[in-house]
Amino acid sequence: MKKTILASIVLALIFAVIAHAKQSDQPNPDPWPRTAELGGVKYTVYQPQPDSWDGFTLKAHTAVAIQAKQEQQPTYGVIFFQARTLVDRDERMVRFEDLRITEAKFPSAPDMAQTYLDQIRKAVPKKMRVVSLDRMEASMAVLEQQKKTLGVPLKNDPPKIIFSPRPSLLVFIDGEPRFTPIKDSDLVRVLNTRVLVVKDSTGRLYLHVFDGWMEAQTFQGPWAVSQKTPKDIKKAEKAARELKQVDLLEGAEDMETKKKPSLTKIAPVVYVTFEPAELIMTEGEPNFVPLEGGVQLLYVRNTTGNIFKYLVDQKTYILVSGRWFKADSFSGPWQYVPGSDLPADFAKIPDDSPKENVKASVPGTHQANEAVVANAIPQTAKIDRKKTTFTPQIDGEPKLMPIDRTSLYHVSNSSYPIIKVEENSWFACSNGVWFVARSVKGPWAVADSIPAVIYSIPPSSSIYYVTYVRIYSSTPEYVYVGYTSGYYGSYVTADNVVVNGTGYYYTPWYGTYWYGYPVTYGYGCCMCWTPWYGWGYGYGFGWYYGYYPPAPYWGPYYGWAYNSAGGVTAWGPGGWASTTGNVYHQWGSTSAVTRGATGYNAYTGNQWSAKYGMAYNSTTGTLATGRAGSVQNVYTGGYASGKAGTVTSPSKGVTASGGTVTAGNVNTGKEVTAGKITVTGPGGQTGSAGAIKGEQGSVARVGDNAIASKDGNVYVNKGGEGWQEVNRPEGTPKVQPQQLPQNLDREVQARNTGQQRTDSYHANRPAGGYNASTYRPSGGRSYGGGRGGGRAR
């Protein structure tokens, strides 16, 4: 029976491999192991295994093999190194600077350790300049799996929840409406909202949607398509376009028809709210269907949101901004559910389920652990002091507001966070860079240190997000800076899961301008994984295809919500990414920023908005939530390079490979190399089309199968023989800690996951990016444009 099943798997996957192996001629963008030659000696260095990484300084160890031409077998050992890292989340790469190999251990040749160390220091560092971020995240997940993160004290009061079975639109007005006049007209505009809402002299309201206007007598509606608009309405639209700070909700082109949505086709139901609220839309009445895997859960299939029914208590559960809420029915009242109090069945949702992505919000799952790790890895940059400047934007004279539970003050009427520490000590944060001055009026210079008190700013403060921007190091010419996803509003709870937003409502500044602060609800935030940017929050989930909320405007989003043409970038059907992107693009070409290929950069956004906003299954790569159209498995052909291709189903432990490449079982760590086609199924069963090549000698080295331990031992998996030491001196007893095999298996699984995601990302992105041989950026450039975002006037 097992042979029959395996044969079926082999045949199915062989055809898939053959069909997709020709899709890409791109070489492996991040090959491991890597080799170098020096003086007739071959040095093989395996994938680094992190010991600690704060996002800037990496300490790690890795297995190495040294083999002279006259020697039949290599000598294995372990090297320890540390390096300064620069992280590019756009390119999913980590670059090493100032890499220093500090120690080497060769248990089978201790007398040669120092000689080998000297040789390795000459030959190896230039081959270790970059590693993929996906590999690092996977390795860090292994390292951190037992570590619990101290959660941020967040606010979890439920927002107003609106369910709609029809195409709908949520308009958020930041507090009671404030009106501002429109030049040369009798109209006024609502100042404190991201969208264009106009009122005429009779008090009638008009909302710009798609290619026209909707109108209502009051904010509560009902709203209908306007048949006759005021004579000056075009002036309001023209002023909004020139201002580049108002979202006209015109929508993006449909990926298939290339047309934008039109009010002549369909008019959405409009909901206006002055308080935190969330809109969850379904295509018709909610359609509950069962989840497979024996769990006692139903889910609503006809929505991109996350709505569940737990059959045991008959409660309805929803996932909003990473937080779980439950109620007896859609009408509420809603109650916050800590992740630790969720029914156990949520953690049992199958990994190949269309709802797999919600497990990133379920404590203890590997998806939640991966998301926590990804959330802690910074985007970094090396900033040129002379070329990086800051000019405050303040609406009138500075208005100082005390920051709760600190001795600090911040300027409440500024578009950027400006903090007064002492009378002659001021700090500002702009686009992920800290600046310092002796006065709010400047002159401002790039800071190379920050007072510790700033990092005590609590989540109840509207500028809390700046505490996630760090200064790592500095020289007279450069400052090394970085920010983690908390800068964008993603935080880790006491349950060790990532959520979006602090949950606090912050009173905005009203004046000539409106300065809005970060919001938690109203944008359909949903944790999702994609091959391009890993774990992050996408906006617009829960919204019907073709309809979406206005683009973000607060915090780090200020200044880059619009492109040079005046249209909202990276925004359209399916949503937009919140906790990814690279704010350092604002500063031009810093040494830490590669110019991502067209379509996946935070500024251009066309293909990015079309693909990123969709949640993919982080395990199988299939589309995780429904939307119009279809998306192929992002892993299919993901490993294709030259004459090789791979199709993988991690959850079932099945991998098929074509060409002279390696196939492996990610669950068991067993691997084997094939000349043509190799398939490894559950339990390590292997079948092939073409002969399987075994390797000669004492080590069956397959791909990146050598794992180093910190005591200097190196292990490889020899198939049926299990894990074996390859550098233990002859005659010495074999001593293995009880947990060693499981730890080695986890390391292999992490490497397979990292390789899989690295190849998937590069196979599904446009031309450009890193050159596989030089590890340097190549390809397309992209540029930012006009100002926009966190102010309106």
Side-chain angles (χ1 to χ4, degrees), residues 754-766:
Q755 177 70 63
Q756 182 183 40
R757 292 182 174 177
T758 298
D759 289 343
S760 178
Y761 164 74
H762 283 272
N764 287 277
R765 69 191 299 272

Side-chain angles (χ1 to χ4, degrees), residues 119-172:
Q119 295 171 348
I120 289 169
R121 283 171 171 166
K122 296 177 182 178
V124 168
K126 62 183 179 181
K127 292 295 184 179
M128 297 177 62
R129 286 181 293 187
V130 296
V131 64
S132 78
L133 179 56
D134 289 293
R135 289 186 186 274
M136 290 293 291
E137 288 183 352
S139 295
M140 289 299 293
V142 172
L143 182 66
E144 301 289 336
Q145 63 180 337
Q146 300 300 326
K147 181 180 177 182
K148 298 298 182 181
T149 303
L150 181 62
V152 175
L154 304 174
K155 193 175 179 65
N156 298 308
D157 297 346
K160 178 182 179 180
I161 306 292
I162 302 170
F163 292 90
S164 176
R166 296 176 52 193
S168 304
L169 183 66
L170 181 65
V171 173
F172 174 60

Side-chain angles (χ1 to χ4, degrees), residues 303-447:
T303 179
T304 58
N306 293 297
I307 310 172
F308 296 86
K309 175 75 74 174
Y310 183 43
L311 297 179
V312 176
D313 63 11
Q314 290 297 301
K315 302 284 188 182
T316 298
Y317 289 75
I318 60 173
L319 180 62
V320 177
S321 289
R323 296 166 172 85
W324 292 96
F325 300 97
K326 69 177 180 180
D328 291 333
S329 67
F330 282 2
S331 58
W334 293 95
Q335 175 187 354
Y336 170 67
V337 184
S340 57
D341 293 343
L342 274 177
D345 278 37
F346 280 94
K348 298 176 183 177
I349 293 174
D351 280 347
D352 57 359
S353 163
K355 285 300 176 182
E356 176 268 348
N357 256 232
V358 304
K359 294 175 73 173
S361 300
V362 179
T365 63
H366 72 83
Q367 290 91 340
N369 294 337
E370 285 184 352
V372 169
V373 170
N375 203 66
I377 295 175
Q379 171 72 59
T380 57
K382 185 166 73 174
I383 297 296
D384 189 318
R385 291 177 183 266
K386 295 181 179 179
K387 296 180 180 179
T388 308
T389 61
F390 172 70
T391 301
Q393 296 180 8
I394 301 175
D395 189 10
E397 290 298 314
K399 306 293 184 182
L400 292 179
M401 176 178 291
I403 298 177
D404 188 31
R405 289 179 283 170
T406 74
S407 59
L408 306 172
Y409 293 83
H410 81 97
V411 179
S412 61
N413 57 335
S414 168
S415 58
Y416 291 106
I418 300 177
I419 302 169
K420 178 184 177 183
V421 178
E422 295 176 349
E423 193 61 38
N424 296 319
S425 180
W426 296 74
F427 290 83
C429 186
S430 173
N431 296 314
V433 177
W434 282 105
F435 296 85
V436 63
R438 293 181 57 81
S439 164
V440 69
K441 296 181 180 179
W444 291 87
V446 176

Side-chain angles (χ1 to χ4, degrees), residues 253-588:
E253 290 183 352
D254 183 275
M255 290 180 289
E256 297 178 0
T257 66
K258 306 301 180 184
K259 295 181 179 179
K260 289 187 176 182
S262 173
L263 285 178
T264 61
K265 301 293 184 181
I266 188 170
V269 178
V270 177
Y271 297 94
V272 178
T273 180
F274 307 145
E275 61 182 336
E278 196 71 54
L279 171 64
I280 300 178
M281 209 175 338
T282 56
E283 298 182 55
E285 293 302 317
N287 178 21
F288 280 98
V289 296
L291 277 166
E292 296 181 357
V295 295
Q296 299 296 306
L297 291 169
L298 306 177
Y299 77 97
V300 175
R301 182 163 59 186
N302 56 332
T303 179
T304 58
N306 293 297
I307 310 172
F308 296 86
K309 175 75 74 174
Y310 183 43
L311 297 179
V312 176
D313 63 11
Q314 290 297 301
K315 302 284 188 182
T316 298
Y317 289 75
I318 60 173
L319 180 62
V320 177
S321 289
R323 296 166 172 85
W324 292 96
F325 300 97
K326 69 177 180 180
D328 291 333
S329 67
F330 282 2
S331 58
W334 293 95
Q335 175 187 354
Y336 170 67
V337 184
S340 57
D341 293 343
L342 274 177
D345 278 37
F346 280 94
K348 298 176 183 177
I349 293 174
D351 280 347
D352 57 359
S353 163
K355 285 300 176 182
E356 176 268 348
N357 256 232
V358 304
K359 294 175 73 173
S361 300
V362 179
T365 63
H366 72 83
Q367 290 91 340
N369 294 337
E370 285 184 352
V372 169
V373 170
N375 203 66
I377 295 175
Q379 171 72 59
T380 57
K382 185 166 73 174
I383 297 296
D384 189 318
R385 291 177 183 266
K386 295 181 179 179
K387 296 180 180 179
T388 308
T389 61
F390 172 70
T391 301
Q393 296 180 8
I394 301 175
D395 189 10
E397 290 298 314
K399 306 293 184 182
L400 292 179
M401 176 178 291
I403 298 177
D404 188 31
R405 289 179 283 170
T406 74
S407 59
L408 306 172
Y409 293 83
H410 81 97
V411 179
S412 61
N413 57 335
S414 168
S415 58
Y416 291 106
I418 300 177
I419 302 169
K420 178 184 177 183
V421 178
E422 295 176 349
E423 193 61 38
N424 296 319
S425 180
W426 296 74
F427 290 83
C429 186
S430 173
N431 296 314
V433 177
W434 282 105
F435 296 85
V436 63
R438 293 181 57 81
S439 164
V440 69
K441 296 181 180 179
W444 291 87
V446 176
D448 53 18
S449 65
I450 295 295
V453 66
I454 284 181
Y455 293 100
S456 68
I457 295 174
S460 57
S461 169
S462 60
I463 61 170
Y464 170 68
Y465 60 91
V466 303
T467 64
Y468 292 83
V469 180
R470 300 278 175 166
I471 297 173
Y472 295 107
S473 182
S474 63
T475 70
E477 295 80 24
Y478 298 99
V479 176
Y480 292 85
V481 296
Y483 62 86
T484 52
S485 293
Y487 187 49
Y488 281 94
S490 292
Y491 308 110
V492 178
T493 70
D495 290 323
N496 218 44
V497 294
V498 179
V499 300
N500 180 76
T502 64
Y504 285 89
Y505 173 74
Y506 305 113
T507 303
W509 165 260
Y510 306 113
T512 304
Y513 301 97
W514 159 60
Y515 297 142
Y517 292 120
V519 302
T520 298
Y521 303 107
Y523 282 75
C525 301
C526 186
M527 197 78 187
C528 62
W529 180 89
T530 78
W532 304 284
Y533 287 97
W535 288 105
Y537 270 91
Y539 286 127
F541 289 95
W543 296 66
Y544 179 67
Y545 176 71
Y547 302 87
Y548 41 88
Y553 55 82
W554 59 84
Y557 302 113
Y558 173 74
W560 57 292
Y562 282 82
N563 60 28
S564 57
V568 180
T569 64
W571 191 247
W576 184 76
S578 72
T579 59
T580 55
N582 186 351
V583 76
Y584 292 126
H585 283 298
Q586 286 286 345
W587 302 113

Side-chain angles (χ1 to χ4, degrees), residues 541-702:
F541 289 95
W543 296 66
Y544 179 67
Y545 176 71
Y547 302 87
Y548 41 88
Y553 55 82
W554 59 84
Y557 302 113
Y558 173 74
W560 57 292
Y562 282 82
N563 60 28
S564 57
V568 180
T569 64
W571 191 247
W576 184 76
S578 72
T579 59
T580 55
N582 186 351
V583 76
Y584 292 126
H585 283 298
Q586 286 286 345
W587 302 113
S589 294
T590 70
S591 65
V593 176
T594 58
R595 289 309 196 182
T598 302
Y600 290 93
N601 180 272
Y603 286 105
T604 56
N606 296 329
Q607 290 178 327
W608 199 43
S609 65
K611 289 188 175 181
Y612 187 91
M614 308 164 195
Y616 285 89
N617 185 301
S618 70
T619 303
T620 66
T622 53
L623 189 66
T625 56
R627 64 168 294 278
S630 62
V631 177
Q632 299 299 314
N633 186 318
V634 296
Y635 290 146
T636 302
Y639 290 88
S641 59
K643 297 180 180 179
T646 298
V647 180
T648 302
S649 174
S651 63
K652 294 181 172 59
V654 177
T655 299
S657 302
T660 53
V661 293
T662 299
N665 182 322
V666 297
N667 293 330
T668 66
K670 296 180 180 179
E671 296 178 299
V672 67
T673 298
K676 293 183 180 179
I677 299 291
T678 298
V679 177
T680 302
Q685 298 171 329
T686 301
S688 67
I692 297 178
K693 295 181 179 179
E695 299 226 2
Q696 303 299 316
S698 62
V699 177
R701 184 180 64 80
V702 184

